[in-house]
Amino acid sequence: MKRLNHFLMLGAVAALASCSDNDAAPNVPSAEELVTVTISADLNLDTQSRATNDKGDEKVTRCLLQIVDQETDPTKQDNMSLVLTGDPDGPFTGEVRLYKNKTYDLLFWADCGAESYEATNSAADTHNLTAVTLPSNKEVSIAYAKKQTYAYDAANPETAIAAELNHAVAKVTLKTTVDLPANSVLTMSGMTRYSQYNVSGATSLGTASTDAFEFTTEEAVTGTQDGTEVFTFYALVIDATPTITLKCNQGDEIEVSNVPIKTDYHTILVGDVTGKVDATLNVTTNVNWNSNTPQETPVQQATN
Protein backbone atom coordinates (compact mmCIF):
# COMPACT_ATOMS: atom_id res chain seq x y z
CA MET A 1 0.00 0.00 0.00
CA LYS A 2 2.83 2.37 0.86
CA ARG A 3 4.51 1.56 -2.44
CA LEU A 4 1.26 2.30 -4.32
CA ASN A 5 0.87 5.67 -2.57
CA HIS A 6 4.49 6.49 -3.47
CA PHE A 7 3.85 5.89 -7.20
CA LEU A 8 0.62 7.88 -7.10
CA MET A 9 2.45 10.87 -5.60
CA LEU A 10 5.16 10.68 -8.27
CA GLY A 11 2.50 10.64 -10.99
CA ALA A 12 0.79 13.70 -9.52
CA VAL A 13 4.08 15.65 -9.37
CA ALA A 14 4.84 14.74 -12.99
CA ALA A 15 1.37 15.84 -14.07
CA LEU A 16 1.75 19.18 -12.27
CA ALA A 17 5.14 19.74 -13.87
CA SER A 18 3.69 19.02 -17.30
CA CYS A 19 0.88 21.54 -16.76
CA SER A 20 3.38 24.14 -15.58
CA ASP A 21 5.49 23.65 -18.72
CA ASN A 22 2.43 24.03 -20.93
CA ASP A 23 1.43 27.27 -19.21
CA ALA A 24 4.89 28.76 -19.79
CA ALA A 25 5.08 27.77 -23.45
CA PRO A 26 4.34 30.49 -26.00
CA ASN A 27 0.94 30.50 -27.65
CA VAL A 28 1.99 29.48 -31.15
CA PRO A 29 -0.79 30.21 -33.64
CA SER A 30 -2.08 27.31 -35.68
CA ALA A 31 -1.86 27.28 -39.46
CA GLU A 32 -5.61 27.86 -39.61
CA GLU A 33 -5.24 31.21 -37.79
CA LEU A 34 -2.68 32.62 -40.24
CA VAL A 35 -2.66 33.52 -43.90
CA THR A 36 0.32 34.05 -46.19
CA VAL A 37 0.06 37.46 -47.87
CA THR A 38 2.18 38.59 -50.81
CA ILE A 39 2.95 42.30 -50.96
CA SER A 40 4.02 44.46 -53.88
CA ALA A 41 4.78 48.19 -53.89
CA ASP A 42 5.00 50.22 -57.07
CA LEU A 43 6.15 53.81 -57.39
CA ASN A 44 3.51 56.02 -58.98
CA LEU A 45 5.76 57.17 -61.82
CA ASP A 46 4.46 58.70 -65.00
CA THR A 47 6.66 58.27 -68.05
CA GLN A 48 6.73 62.04 -68.44
CA SER A 49 7.49 62.87 -64.80
CA ARG A 50 11.26 62.80 -65.25
CA ALA A 51 11.09 65.06 -68.28
CA THR A 52 9.85 67.88 -66.08
CA ASN A 53 13.24 67.92 -64.39
CA ASP A 54 16.04 68.31 -66.93
CA LYS A 55 18.55 66.73 -64.54
CA GLY A 56 16.31 63.74 -63.74
CA ASP A 57 15.28 62.37 -60.37
CA GLU A 58 17.36 59.93 -58.39
CA LYS A 59 16.15 56.35 -58.39
CA VAL A 60 15.16 54.88 -55.06
CA THR A 61 17.15 51.92 -53.78
CA ARG A 62 15.14 50.63 -50.81
CA CYS A 63 11.52 50.10 -49.84
CA LEU A 64 10.58 49.61 -46.18
CA LEU A 65 7.35 48.19 -44.79
CA GLN A 66 6.04 48.46 -41.24
CA ILE A 67 2.99 46.33 -40.40
CA VAL A 68 1.02 47.50 -37.38
CA ASP A 69 -1.74 45.53 -35.69
CA GLN A 70 -4.54 48.05 -35.18
CA GLU A 71 -5.09 46.60 -31.71
CA THR A 72 -1.47 47.65 -30.97
CA ASP A 73 -1.03 44.76 -28.56
CA PRO A 74 2.73 44.55 -27.83
CA THR A 75 2.44 40.96 -26.57
CA LYS A 76 1.49 39.70 -30.03
CA GLN A 77 4.20 38.88 -32.52
CA ASP A 78 2.41 40.53 -35.42
CA ASN A 79 3.86 44.03 -35.41
CA MET A 80 6.72 43.60 -37.84
CA SER A 81 9.15 45.28 -40.22
CA LEU A 82 10.25 44.14 -43.66
CA VAL A 83 12.65 45.32 -46.32
CA LEU A 84 10.96 44.66 -49.64
CA THR A 85 13.15 43.53 -52.52
CA GLY A 86 13.12 44.86 -56.07
CA ASP A 87 13.81 48.12 -57.87
CA PRO A 88 11.88 51.22 -59.00
CA ASP A 89 11.44 49.90 -62.55
CA GLY A 90 9.39 47.01 -61.22
CA PRO A 91 7.54 46.36 -57.99
CA PHE A 92 9.24 45.90 -54.63
CA THR A 93 7.92 42.63 -53.22
CA GLY A 94 7.76 40.59 -50.04
CA GLU A 95 5.75 37.96 -48.19
CA VAL A 96 4.40 37.83 -44.65
CA ARG A 97 2.16 35.69 -42.43
CA LEU A 98 -0.74 37.58 -40.82
CA TYR A 99 -3.60 36.67 -38.50
CA LYS A 100 -6.91 36.17 -40.26
CA ASN A 101 -8.91 37.83 -37.48
CA LYS A 102 -6.97 41.08 -37.31
CA THR A 103 -6.86 44.39 -39.17
CA TYR A 104 -3.48 45.85 -40.05
CA ASP A 105 -2.08 49.19 -41.13
CA LEU A 106 0.67 48.76 -43.73
CA LEU A 107 3.11 51.68 -43.83
CA PHE A 108 5.35 51.88 -46.92
CA TRP A 109 8.40 54.12 -47.35
CA ALA A 110 10.82 54.17 -50.32
CA ASP A 111 13.96 56.30 -50.61
CA CYS A 112 17.57 56.35 -51.80
CA GLY A 113 18.97 54.37 -48.88
CA ALA A 114 19.87 54.62 -45.21
CA GLU A 115 22.08 57.64 -45.87
CA SER A 116 19.10 59.68 -47.09
CA TYR A 117 16.64 59.12 -44.24
CA GLU A 118 16.70 57.50 -40.79
CA ALA A 119 13.80 55.10 -40.38
CA THR A 120 14.99 52.68 -37.68
CA ASN A 121 13.53 52.48 -34.20
CA SER A 122 16.34 53.19 -31.73
CA ALA A 123 14.96 50.66 -29.22
CA ALA A 124 15.00 47.77 -31.67
CA ASP A 125 16.02 46.88 -35.16
CA THR A 126 12.59 47.69 -36.55
CA HIS A 127 11.25 50.45 -38.78
CA ASN A 128 9.57 53.48 -37.29
CA LEU A 129 7.76 54.96 -40.25
CA THR A 130 5.74 57.35 -38.11
CA ALA A 131 8.84 59.54 -37.72
CA VAL A 132 11.15 59.09 -40.72
CA THR A 133 13.90 61.62 -40.04
CA LEU A 134 16.18 63.63 -42.28
CA PRO A 135 19.77 63.23 -40.99
CA SER A 136 21.44 66.44 -39.83
CA ASN A 137 23.29 68.38 -42.50
CA LYS A 138 21.59 66.38 -45.26
CA GLU A 139 19.48 67.82 -48.06
CA VAL A 140 16.02 66.38 -48.61
CA SER A 141 16.03 63.76 -51.35
CA ILE A 142 13.30 61.99 -53.26
CA ALA A 143 11.01 59.71 -51.24
CA TYR A 144 7.69 57.91 -51.60
CA ALA A 145 5.12 56.80 -49.02
CA LYS A 146 1.76 55.09 -48.63
CA LYS A 147 -0.54 53.87 -45.87
CA GLN A 148 -2.83 50.96 -46.67
CA THR A 149 -5.17 48.82 -44.55
CA TYR A 150 -5.52 45.05 -44.79
CA ALA A 151 -8.04 42.69 -43.22
CA TYR A 152 -8.63 39.10 -44.27
CA ASP A 153 -12.15 38.41 -45.50
CA ALA A 154 -13.13 34.74 -45.48
CA ALA A 155 -15.95 35.43 -47.93
CA ASN A 156 -13.53 37.06 -50.34
CA PRO A 157 -10.08 35.75 -49.36
CA GLU A 158 -7.71 38.24 -50.94
CA THR A 159 -4.10 37.29 -50.14
CA ALA A 160 -2.26 39.78 -52.34
CA ILE A 161 -1.68 43.42 -51.47
CA ALA A 162 -0.68 45.91 -54.16
CA ALA A 163 0.27 49.42 -53.06
CA GLU A 164 0.99 52.40 -55.28
CA LEU A 165 3.30 54.84 -53.52
CA ASN A 166 3.16 58.60 -54.04
CA HIS A 167 5.85 61.22 -53.48
CA ALA A 168 6.33 62.11 -49.81
CA VAL A 169 8.10 65.34 -50.71
CA ALA A 170 7.42 68.50 -52.70
CA LYS A 171 9.59 69.31 -55.71
CA VAL A 172 10.46 72.87 -56.72
CA THR A 173 12.16 73.90 -59.99
CA LEU A 174 13.30 77.34 -61.13
CA LYS A 175 13.77 78.03 -64.86
CA THR A 176 15.14 81.18 -66.43
CA THR A 177 14.17 82.89 -69.67
CA VAL A 178 17.25 85.15 -69.56
CA ASP A 179 20.96 84.40 -69.53
CA LEU A 180 22.77 84.00 -66.22
CA PRO A 181 26.55 84.25 -65.85
CA ALA A 182 28.57 81.57 -64.09
CA ASN A 183 28.74 81.87 -60.30
CA SER A 184 25.36 83.58 -60.10
CA VAL A 185 23.95 83.30 -56.59
CA LEU A 186 20.20 82.74 -56.29
CA THR A 187 18.16 82.51 -53.11
CA MET A 188 14.54 81.42 -52.73
CA SER A 189 12.72 82.06 -49.47
CA GLY A 190 9.19 81.97 -48.09
CA MET A 191 8.77 78.21 -47.67
CA THR A 192 8.55 76.28 -44.42
CA ARG A 193 10.42 72.99 -44.55
CA TYR A 194 10.38 70.14 -42.04
CA SER A 195 12.73 67.40 -40.85
CA GLN A 196 10.45 64.36 -40.47
CA TYR A 197 7.62 62.52 -42.18
CA ASN A 198 4.83 60.44 -40.62
CA VAL A 199 3.62 57.78 -43.06
CA SER A 200 0.67 56.87 -40.86
CA GLY A 201 -0.60 60.45 -40.79
CA ALA A 202 0.60 61.32 -44.30
CA THR A 203 2.15 64.54 -43.04
CA SER A 204 5.48 66.23 -42.43
CA LEU A 205 6.50 67.09 -38.89
CA GLY A 206 9.57 67.69 -36.75
CA THR A 207 11.74 70.80 -36.75
CA ALA A 208 10.36 73.59 -38.94
CA SER A 209 12.78 75.80 -40.85
CA THR A 210 12.17 78.92 -42.92
CA ASP A 211 15.78 79.20 -44.06
CA ALA A 212 16.18 80.26 -47.68
CA PHE A 213 17.33 77.80 -50.33
CA GLU A 214 20.58 79.05 -51.91
CA PHE A 215 22.12 77.94 -55.18
CA THR A 216 25.22 79.02 -57.13
CA THR A 217 25.51 78.30 -60.85
CA GLU A 218 28.76 76.55 -61.71
CA GLU A 219 28.46 77.48 -65.38
CA ALA A 220 26.67 80.14 -67.39
CA VAL A 221 23.00 79.36 -68.05
CA THR A 222 21.50 80.29 -71.41
CA GLY A 223 17.89 81.37 -71.05
CA THR A 224 15.21 80.09 -73.43
CA GLN A 225 11.62 81.08 -74.16
CA ASP A 226 10.26 78.05 -72.30
CA GLY A 227 12.86 78.41 -69.56
CA THR A 228 16.17 76.69 -68.88
CA GLU A 229 16.45 74.89 -65.56
CA VAL A 230 18.58 76.66 -62.98
CA PHE A 231 17.92 74.39 -60.00
CA THR A 232 15.58 71.79 -58.55
CA PHE A 233 15.23 70.81 -54.90
CA TYR A 234 12.95 68.66 -52.75
CA ALA A 235 11.31 69.56 -49.44
CA LEU A 236 9.30 67.94 -46.67
CA VAL A 237 6.34 70.31 -46.40
CA ILE A 238 2.87 70.84 -45.06
CA ASP A 239 0.66 71.95 -47.95
CA ALA A 240 0.62 75.75 -48.25
CA THR A 241 0.48 78.62 -50.75
CA PRO A 242 3.16 81.02 -49.48
CA THR A 243 4.61 84.15 -51.00
CA ILE A 244 7.93 83.13 -52.57
CA THR A 245 10.77 85.65 -52.65
CA LEU A 246 13.55 85.22 -55.21
CA LYS A 247 16.82 87.12 -55.40
CA CYS A 248 19.59 86.79 -58.00
CA ASN A 249 23.03 88.26 -57.24
CA GLN A 250 22.64 91.94 -56.36
CA GLY A 251 19.34 92.37 -58.22
CA ASP A 252 16.08 93.38 -56.59
CA GLU A 253 13.97 90.81 -54.79
CA ILE A 254 11.06 89.33 -56.75
CA GLU A 255 7.93 88.31 -54.84
CA VAL A 256 5.27 85.95 -56.18
CA SER A 257 2.25 85.30 -53.98
CA ASN A 258 0.07 82.21 -53.56
CA VAL A 259 2.61 79.71 -54.90
CA PRO A 260 1.37 76.12 -54.30
CA ILE A 261 3.98 74.16 -52.33
CA LYS A 262 2.51 70.75 -51.61
CA THR A 263 3.50 67.14 -51.03
CA ASP A 264 3.45 65.15 -54.31
CA TYR A 265 3.37 68.42 -56.31
CA HIS A 266 6.07 69.66 -58.68
CA THR A 267 6.03 73.45 -58.63
CA ILE A 268 7.82 75.11 -61.55
CA LEU A 269 8.61 78.82 -61.67
CA VAL A 270 9.61 80.19 -65.07
CA GLY A 271 10.63 83.72 -66.05
CA ASP A 272 13.16 86.52 -65.76
CA VAL A 273 14.88 85.67 -62.49
CA THR A 274 17.25 88.66 -62.46
CA GLY A 275 14.95 91.04 -60.60
CA LYS A 276 14.37 93.55 -63.36
CA VAL A 277 11.46 95.95 -63.07
CA ASP A 278 8.16 94.44 -64.32
CA ALA A 279 9.66 90.93 -64.34
CA THR A 280 7.12 88.11 -64.24
CA LEU A 281 7.33 84.52 -63.11
CA ASN A 282 4.82 81.99 -64.38
CA VAL A 283 3.98 79.20 -61.95
CA THR A 284 2.87 75.68 -62.94
CA THR A 285 2.15 72.80 -60.56
CA ASN A 286 2.11 69.17 -61.70
CA VAL A 287 0.21 66.79 -59.43
CA ASN A 288 2.21 63.60 -58.88
CA TRP A 289 4.95 65.41 -60.87
CA ASN A 290 3.00 64.47 -64.00
CA SER A 291 3.62 66.99 -66.77
CA ASN A 292 0.59 65.70 -68.69
CA THR A 293 -1.78 67.30 -66.17
CA PRO A 294 -0.35 70.73 -65.35
CA GLN A 295 -2.29 73.13 -63.16
CA GLU A 296 -1.60 76.72 -64.07
CA THR A 297 -1.51 79.13 -61.18
CA PRO A 298 -3.11 82.47 -62.09
CA VAL A 299 -0.22 84.57 -63.41
CA GLN A 300 0.61 87.43 -61.10
CA GLN A 301 2.96 90.30 -61.73
CA ALA A 302 6.04 89.68 -59.64
CA THR A 303 6.76 92.68 -57.43
CA ASN A 304 10.20 94.08 -56.74
Side-chain angles (χ1 to χ4, degrees):
M1 185 68 177
K2 289 183 179 180
R3 179 175 295 180
L4 177 61
N5 287 339
H6 177 70
F7 283 119
L8 288 173
M9 290 179 63
L10 287 177
V13 170
L16 287 172
S18 175
C19 291
S20 177
D21 289 343
N22 288 337
D23 290 342
N27 184 19
V28 179
S30 66
E32 290 74 19
E33 294 180 280
L34 296 172
V35 60
T36 299
V37 178
T38 58
I39 299 170
S40 66
D42 258 320
L43 306 183
N44 190 358
L45 291 175
D46 180 81
T47 55
Q48 297 295 320
S49 61
R50 297 188 187 280
T52 60
N53 174 10
D54 297 340
K55 296 179 174 60
D57 296 315
E58 287 186 88
K59 286 192 174 184
V60 301
T61 57
R62 71 170 178 172
C63 185
L64 308 179
L65 171 62
Q66 181 181 3
I67 302 176
V68 182
D69 172 13
Q70 286 192 351
E71 294 179 359
T72 61
D73 184 351
T75 65
K76 299 292 184 181
Q77 295 181 351
D78 48 9
N79 292 317
M80 60 193 73
S81 298
L82 288 84
V83 178
L84 303 182
T85 58
D87 61 69
D89 296 323
F92 291 90
T93 59
E95 190 175 273
V96 67
R97 300 268 285 170
L98 299 177
Y99 283 93
K100 293 180 179 179
N101 62 343
K102 291 186 175 295
T103 300
Y104 297 91
D105 287 334
L106 282 71
L107 309 182
F108 296 86
W109 176 266
D111 60 21
C112 297
E115 300 79 13
S116 56
Y117 293 95
E118 296 171 353
T120 302
N121 206 328
S122 58
D125 189 20
T126 57
H127 310 323
N128 179 15
L129 301 186
T130 61
V132 181
T133 303
L134 181 70
S136 16
N137 301 320
K138 291 284 288 186
E139 293 292 336
V140 173
S141 57
I142 195 168
Y144 299 79
K146 179 78 172 186
K147 176 184 177 180
Q148 197 155 313
T149 300
Y150 175 78
Y152 180 81
D153 183 357
N156 184 23
E158 180 60 63
T159 58
I161 301 172
E164 191 172 75
L165 281 57
N166 293 319
H167 303 98
V169 296
K171 179 178 177 180
V172 180
T173 296
L174 179 70
K175 295 185 176 184
T176 182
T177 56
V178 299
D179 296 346
L180 295 177
N183 300 315
S184 293
V185 179
L186 299 100
T187 58
M188 181 181 286
S189 58
M191 293 175 51
T192 301
R193 296 181 282 174
Y194 294 83
S195 61
Q196 292 182 322
Y197 189 84
N198 178 358
V199 178
S200 181
T203 186
S204 297
L205 66 162
T207 304
S209 172
T210 57
D211 292 347
F213 175 83
E214 184 173 301
F215 181 84
T216 301
T217 60
E218 296 181 358
E219 302 175 349
V221 179
T222 302
T224 59
Q225 183 176 354
D226 294 332
T228 303
E229 182 176 335
V230 181
F231 62 69
T232 289
F233 66 90
Y234 310 103
L236 291 166
V237 302
I238 294 176
D239 294 358
T241 53
T243 295
I244 295 297
T245 301
L246 181 69
K247 184 177 177 65
C248 178
N249 296 325
Q250 301 305 313
D252 292 333
E253 290 185 342
I254 305 173
E255 289 188 350
V256 184
S257 58
N258 299 315
V259 178
I261 304 293
K262 301 180 180 182
T263 301
D264 200 32
Y265 274 52
H266 183 192
T267 301
I268 307 168
L269 298 91
V270 184
D272 183 344
V273 302
T274 59
K276 294 178 181 177
V277 176
D278 297 330
T280 60
L281 287 177
N282 296 324
V283 180
T284 301
T285 52
N286 297 329
V287 181
N288 189 232
W289 306 3
N290 184 346
S291 60
N292 287 328
T293 56
Q295 296 184 358
E296 295 286 347
T297 298
V299 177
Q300 299 191 23
Q301 192 78 8
T303 58
N304 49 11

